[in-house]
């Protein structure tokens, strides 16, 4: 966002990220060896921002993500794990950057994501859970990449997001009445951007960065047509 990638040791970052990839294409999060699709997304997005995706085996990274796809079209943290909206964002985002959106079960996945909308207008991360503002990003960004954001009720979702705002501090909380925090404030604002709120700069659904930053870096993540 600050246009200061020159301020970091690019080669050092690339070496570290590449060293975390395993034979099956997955990534460790650190030296302790935990494997999770979140780490795959972080690795792929980091190298993409640095224009250094060639440092890893992209095909194997994609294969690992696809091995985590479930019967409902969703994705979990590893093969066999239940579908979860946050992890779906990580996996769809990985496929968007790697330009392999064709491998998705678009309609099945979008339907599962749309079922996350509750009578309050808010979204949850998996069945039988309470709505949480952060899923206004995890779900809506995935639906935007799938080109199916119109499958949810945008008006009631926006009402839910705005109801989570603290009128005194200006921040956003996980749900109405709770204490606001930076995490939910980010995803509340980003969610409003995806919903078309013109008071907020356009946010890229793959990177969760201002679209003007993505344009400046000349990145072209794939959207499902």
């Amino acid at each position: 966002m600050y246009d200061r990638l020159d301020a970091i040791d690019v080669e050092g970052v690339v070496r570290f990220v590449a060293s975390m990839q395993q034979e099956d294409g997955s990534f460790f999060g650190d030296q302790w060896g935990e494997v999770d699709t979140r780490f795959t997304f972080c690795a792929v997005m980091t190298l993409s921002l640095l224009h250094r995706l060639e440092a890893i085996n992209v095909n194997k990274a994609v294969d690992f993500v696809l091995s985590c796809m479930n019967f409902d079209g969703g994705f979990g943290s590893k093969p066999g794990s239940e579908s979860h909206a946050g992890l779906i964002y990580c996996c769809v985002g990985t496929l968007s950057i790697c330009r392999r959106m064709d491998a998705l079960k678009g309609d099945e996945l979008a339907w599962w994501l749309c079922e996350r909308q509750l009578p309050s207008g808010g979204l949850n991360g998996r069945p039988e859970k309470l709505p949480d503002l952060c899923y206004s990003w995890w779900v809506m960004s995935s639906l935007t990449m799938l080109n199916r954001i119109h499958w949810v009720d945008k008006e009631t979702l926006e009402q839910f997001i705005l109801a989570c705002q603290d009128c005194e501090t200006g921040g956003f909380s996980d749900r109405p009445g709770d204490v606001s925090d930076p995490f939910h404030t980010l995803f509340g604002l980003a969610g409003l951007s995806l919903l078309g709120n013109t008071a907020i700069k356009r946010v890229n659904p793959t990177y969760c960065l201002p679209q003007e930053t993505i344009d400046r870096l000349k990145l072209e993540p794939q959207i499902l047509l």
Side-chain angles (χ1 to χ4, degrees), residues 18-120:
S19 73
M20 292 292 105
Q21 188 170 30
Q22 305 306 300
E23 185 58 33
D24 65 354
S26 66
F27 285 83
F28 287 166
D30 53 31
Q31 62 179 318
W32 307 112
E34 181 183 4
V35 170
D36 190 310
T37 47
R38 291 174 298 176
F39 303 139
T40 297
F41 177 63
C42 289
V44 167
M45 186 170 77
T46 296
L47 295 178
S48 171
L49 291 171
L50 297 173
H51 293 281
R52 293 295 302 276
L53 271 176
E54 79 284 352
I56 61 170
N57 189 320
V58 173
N59 290 332
K60 281 192 173 184
V62 168
D63 288 343
F64 174 74
V65 166
L66 294 179
S67 74
C68 299
M69 184 187 297
N70 293 320
F71 71 94
D72 52 19
F75 294 85
S77 61
K78 54 181 66 70
S81 296
E82 71 169 314
S83 297
H84 185 283
L87 296 163
I88 285 172
Y89 162 74
C90 292
C91 292
V92 175
T94 297
L95 296 175
S96 173
I97 293 170
C98 296
R99 307 192 68 79
R100 283 300 314 279
M101 296 289 281
D102 60 289
L104 291 167
K105 300 176 182 177
D107 286 343
E108 290 93 332
L109 176 52
W111 183 252
W112 188 93
L113 289 165
C114 290
E115 288 186 320
R116 306 282 60 77
Q117 190 163 32
L118 301 173
S120 65

Side-chain angles (χ1 to χ4, degrees), residues 1-224:
M1 290 190 292
Y2 289 104
D3 197 21
R4 285 306 312 275
L5 291 178
D6 61 299
I8 66 170
D9 178 0
V10 172
E11 294 305 319
V13 172
V14 171
R15 283 195 303 273
F16 172 75
V17 173
S19 73
M20 292 292 105
Q21 188 170 30
Q22 305 306 300
E23 185 58 33
D24 65 354
S26 66
F27 285 83
F28 287 166
D30 53 31
Q31 62 179 318
W32 307 112
E34 181 183 4
V35 170
D36 190 310
T37 47
R38 291 174 298 176
F39 303 139
T40 297
F41 177 63
C42 289
V44 167
M45 186 170 77
T46 296
L47 295 178
S48 171
L49 291 171
L50 297 173
H51 293 281
R52 293 295 302 276
L53 271 176
E54 79 284 352
I56 61 170
N57 189 320
V58 173
N59 290 332
K60 281 192 173 184
V62 168
D63 288 343
F64 174 74
V65 166
L66 294 179
S67 74
C68 299
M69 184 187 297
N70 293 320
F71 71 94
D72 52 19
F75 294 85
S77 61
K78 54 181 66 70
S81 296
E82 71 169 314
S83 297
H84 185 283
L87 296 163
I88 285 172
Y89 162 74
C90 292
C91 292
V92 175
T94 297
L95 296 175
S96 173
I97 293 170
C98 296
R99 307 192 68 79
R100 283 300 314 279
M101 296 289 281
D102 60 289
L104 291 167
K105 300 176 182 177
D107 286 343
E108 290 93 332
L109 176 52
W111 183 252
W112 188 93
L113 289 165
C114 290
E115 288 186 320
R116 306 282 60 77
Q117 190 163 32
L118 301 173
S120 65
L123 301 161
N124 63 17
R126 50 198 170 110
E128 303 303 321
K129 295 295 184 179
L130 293 173
D132 188 319
L133 179 65
C134 66
Y135 293 106
S136 301
W137 172 257
W138 308 123
V139 172
M140 296 297 283
S141 59
S142 298
L143 285 172
T144 301
M145 288 185 277
L146 292 168
N147 201 24
R148 289 166 173 79
I149 194 171
H150 55 285
W151 284 19
V152 298
D153 187 330
K154 294 183 180 180
E155 183 177 351
T156 58
L157 176 55
E158 183 167 13
Q159 290 172 356
F160 176 82
I161 294 174
L162 294 175
C164 295
Q165 186 175 16
D166 188 315
C167 294
E168 294 184 3
T169 68
F172 290 80
S173 60
D174 57 349
R175 53 186 64 92
D178 288 350
V179 178
S180 60
D181 61 76
F183 179 88
H184 290 91
T185 299
L186 166 64
F187 293 127
L189 292 171
L192 289 172
S193 173
L194 292 180
L195 290 172
N197 190 311
T198 56
I200 302 168
K201 286 186 176 182
R202 185 182 169 202
V203 173
N204 183 276
T206 302
Y207 291 89
C208 196
L209 287 169
Q211 184 61 46
E212 61 187 31
T213 299
I214 301 306
D215 293 340
R216 185 172 67 243
L217 291 172
K218 295 181 171 58
L219 298 173
E220 297 182 357
Q222 186 181 32
I223 302 297
L224 193 66

